[in-house]
Amino acid sequence: MPFLSKIFSTRLVIIVVLFCFQTFNSSAQVNPTESDSATTNKRLNKVLIGGSVVYVASMAGFYELWYKDFETTTFHSFNDNSEWLQMDKIGHVGTSYQLSKWGQRVFIWTGLPDRKAAWYGAGVSTLFQTSIEVFDGFSSEWGFSVGDVLSNTAGTGLFLGQELLWEEQRMTFKYSFHNTKYPKYRPSLLGQSQVEKLIKDYNGQTIWLSANIKSFGFEETKIPEWLNLSVGYGAEGMITAK
């Protein structure tokens, strides 16, 4: 099932990218000061060169894994909005948000101002996600999904909008998972190992939009900083896309 392996490998690659962002950010030194332009330029060049290499290698790898065995066609689209009870689309929103967020953190490390780094992070997320959609549009096996693009834009827009409006992330996406009975009916589709189930079994996934209460005008109150109001979306009973 090439479509299923594509979903699994896409998400696995994105998880690896996010992990690299996290590791990079955790090991980064204190941001250079604005006057230290030489350090800023040096770090920015490293990020741009390294990011370009990762991008080209990822796209080449994706082509080898997914596209080379299928006929290349004229650019076309297809409508998959009704599949998986929209869990796939919610996943696109959350993934684009996280890619933008971690991308910004990397560019902040270079010394760029937060707002400029936010634009760069959003650009990285958009480039990565849209490139895959364009590949899909020229493949006979898939097609350009307008629903995916709108979902990607929503996630990136939520991140960037908060940075431009509040200069902080008051709302963020979170992920939770619980094991379900459905993978045993179609293990190749919904996962065999626990790692595969975490990524492939939509039945056990919940995507949360979590808002920090204290940040919405309650900074001087005794409301704890860790208290959030969250709304989640999940679905069950799915052993096929439709």
Side-chain angles (χ1 to χ4, degrees):
M1 295 183 179
F3 176 72
L4 301 175
S5 62
K6 179 174 179 290
I7 290 177
F8 177 74
S9 51
T10 301
R11 292 185 174 182
L12 189 59
V13 168
I14 289 174
I15 289 171
V16 171
V17 170
L18 289 174
F19 176 78
C20 291
F21 278 171
Q22 170 67 26
T23 303
F24 182 88
N25 183 68
S26 299
S27 62
Q29 301 174 7
V30 178
N31 289 356
T33 62
E34 292 185 5
S35 61
D36 194 0
S37 58
T39 300
T40 297
N41 291 335
K42 184 181 295 185
R43 289 185 176 186
L44 184 58
N45 286 336
K46 287 181 179 179
V47 168
L48 293 177
I49 293 172
S52 298
V53 171
V54 170
Y55 171 76
V56 172
S58 298
M59 293 303 112
F62 290 158
Y63 177 80
E64 287 293 317
L65 285 172
W66 306 333
Y67 302 107
K68 73 172 184 177
D69 294 329
F70 300 103
E71 181 182 356
T72 299
T73 67
T74 56
F75 189 80
H76 62 283
S77 63
F78 82 130
N79 187 345
D80 62 345
N81 293 333
S82 63
E83 296 183 359
W84 299 110
L85 297 178
Q86 291 75 53
M87 282 298 296
D88 176 55
K89 298 297 175 277
I90 297 297
H92 274 272
V93 176
T95 299
S96 296
Y97 173 86
Q98 294 295 346
L99 282 173
S100 300
K101 180 179 178 180
W102 291 112
Q104 182 206 29
R105 293 191 178 188
V106 170
F107 283 108
I108 286 176
W109 173 79
T110 69
L112 290 179
D114 288 7
R115 182 177 291 250
K116 190 171 185 179
W119 281 104
Y120 275 53
V124 168
S125 176
T126 301
L127 176 64
F128 186 85
Q129 299 277 56
T130 304
S131 296
I132 296 175
E133 293 301 327
V134 171
F135 272 134
D136 285 352
F138 285 103
S139 173
S140 60
E141 184 68 18
W142 298 286
F144 183 86
S145 172
V146 175
D148 284 355
V149 172
L150 291 177
S151 298
N152 294 338
T153 303
T156 301
L158 179 64
F159 163 78
L160 187 58
Q162 291 185 86
E163 285 296 321
L164 298 180
L165 181 62
W166 298 317
E167 298 183 347
E168 63 178 350
Q169 296 297 301
R170 299 183 181 182
M171 296 180 289
T172 187
F173 279 99
K174 299 178 180 180
Y175 167 91
S176 66
F177 179 83
H178 64 277
N179 286 310
T180 72
K181 62 182 180 182
Y182 300 102
K184 67 182 180 181
Y185 299 116
R186 299 195 69 184
S188 62
L189 175 64
L190 301 176
Q192 295 179 327
S193 69
Q194 188 62 37
V195 173
E196 287 183 336
K197 292 175 184 177
L198 285 169
I199 300 173
K200 297 171 73 173
D201 184 14
Y202 285 125
N203 298 284
Q205 298 176 12
T206 304
I207 307 298
W208 301 87
L209 180 61
S210 185
N212 183 264
I213 298 175
K214 194 176 184 71
S215 65
F216 284 93
F218 299 100
E219 290 82 2
E220 303 302 322
T221 68
K222 294 183 179 180
I223 295 176
E225 293 184 0
W226 51 261
L227 186 61
N228 287 263
L229 178 64
S230 301
V231 178
Y233 180 82
E236 281 200 11
M238 300 174 289
I239 58 174
T240 62
K242 293 184 178 180

